[in-house]
Amino acid sequence: GLHPLIRQYAGQKLAEDPQEERRVKDQHALYYVRRLAQWERGLKSSRQVETLHEMAQKIDNLRQAWQWMISHYPAANGNAAFPPALIHKALFSLSLFYELRYRNWEAISLFRESVERLNAARGEFQPEEDQRNLDAILGHITAYLGLHHYYILQHQQAREYLDEALRLLENSPSRVERAQAQVMLSTIYSKQGQLQKAAGLLEQSRATFREEGDAWWYSLSLNHLGVSYRQSGRIQESQE
């Protein structure tokens, strides 16, 4: 990479032209957010370890790109540079990186900041479709915020975030993202001994993943459902 002094000088020169600075930072953010989305496939494959290593080399750029995108999302949404599908894929990759590298506190800080920023910008989203897309993105980030609280054993906080995520995702076009939040919440229900509620959420999410053709999440929900059935004594169902 560039020497820190050269990078500092380039940043200062760029700041002298706000329009050019915005263009360069938009391009930087778009490049790395797209990389995050592309890494989703590798993270769901036998190349997971190699993909995590590649991401680790770029994590500062990835975090900065995510923050820039979120902080400018209404404008970015207006020019369609960051469509919701791209953001959902990027979020999965970024969250899984923090999870598998045991960097949950960093994820919590980043995703909490993202939720606060999007909530503050809600008034900037006028058409109903933009509102629904905002709720889908906000709900998905909130779900992962809850998941990372679960990993640091803050189960009540995790449940509150996941309940809020499902509320936001209730009427959104993001069926898969809602089903993902159901899988996350089912884990907390299981931990709290509410096995029937956990199984109910997993049955719903499994059906969604099957209908949407999402094999990775379908397998995950099926595995969790089998565990839930065994824990509640439904042995025959767990073997089907």
Side-chain angles (χ1 to χ4, degrees):
L2 292 175
H3 188 281
L5 288 176
I6 298 177
R7 187 182 299 111
Q8 181 182 2
Y9 175 76
Q12 290 172 345
K13 296 297 290 183
L14 194 60
E16 294 174 4
D17 185 344
Q19 188 173 353
E20 178 64 9
E21 181 183 30
R22 173 63 186 267
R23 186 189 68 80
V24 169
K25 289 187 175 180
D26 279 347
Q27 288 185 341
H28 174 272
L30 183 58
Y31 173 79
Y32 281 105
V33 170
R34 283 176 173 169
R35 288 291 300 274
L36 277 170
Q38 291 164 358
W39 274 320
E40 180 194 31
R41 179 172 294 183
L43 289 169
K44 292 179 175 179
S45 74
S46 59
R47 291 196 67 257
Q48 186 181 86
V49 173
E50 294 92 328
T51 303
L52 287 170
H53 179 71
E54 292 172 17
M55 293 177 70
Q57 307 308 306
K58 304 292 185 182
I59 190 58
D60 288 341
N61 280 311
L62 297 173
R63 184 182 62 253
Q64 291 167 11
W66 175 268
Q67 289 172 315
W68 179 264
M69 176 190 67
I70 292 296
S71 64
H72 296 82
Y73 179 66
N77 189 48
N79 61 32
F82 298 97
L86 178 68
I87 298 174
H88 291 308
K89 287 178 177 291
L91 174 61
F92 170 86
S93 299
L94 192 57
S95 177
L96 192 60
F97 172 84
Y98 284 127
E99 173 188 337
L100 296 179
R101 288 300 177 100
Y102 302 100
R103 297 167 67 168
N104 293 295
W105 282 108
E106 291 179 54
I108 288 170
S109 177
L110 181 62
F111 295 154
R112 182 187 294 129
E113 174 188 290
S114 300
V115 167
E116 290 172 355
R117 169 67 184 95
L118 291 174
N119 272 320
R122 181 171 288 279
E124 301 174 36
F125 294 82
Q126 296 303 326
E128 185 177 341
E129 182 178 356
D130 285 353
Q131 286 279 354
R132 287 199 301 269
N133 285 333
L134 172 64
D135 283 344
I137 293 166
L138 192 54
H140 203 196
I141 298 172
T142 302
Y144 278 107
L145 182 55
L147 180 66
H148 287 282
H149 274 283
Y150 171 79
Y151 288 137
I152 61 171
L153 306 180
Q154 294 183 353
H155 294 163
Q156 185 56 39
Q157 186 73 55
R159 179 169 176 174
E160 290 172 7
Y161 277 123
L162 284 161
D163 283 339
E164 173 64 8
L166 287 173
R167 184 191 69 78
L168 287 164
L169 291 164
E170 180 67 36
N171 298 312
S172 81
S174 302
R175 295 184 69 236
V176 168
E177 285 69 38
R178 176 175 169 76
Q180 290 173 10
Q182 289 176 320
V183 172
M184 298 173 197
L185 183 57
S186 75
T187 305
I188 298 175
Y189 280 149
S190 293
K191 184 69 68 174
Q192 296 175 338
Q194 301 182 62
L195 301 178
Q196 187 171 350
K197 283 187 175 181
L201 286 175
L202 288 166
E203 288 166 353
Q204 292 177 46
S205 62
R206 178 187 59 175
T208 298
F209 297 136
R210 181 172 55 227
E211 292 166 8
E212 297 294 328
D214 194 319
W216 192 88
W217 277 98
Y218 176 79
S219 296
L220 184 66
S221 63
L222 192 63
N223 178 63
H224 282 241
L225 185 57
V227 172
S228 181
Y229 282 158
R230 287 194 294 276
Q231 289 176 334
S232 56
R234 298 162 67 176
I235 305 301
Q236 183 174 350
E237 290 173 279
S238 72
Q239 297 172 343
E240 293 178 355

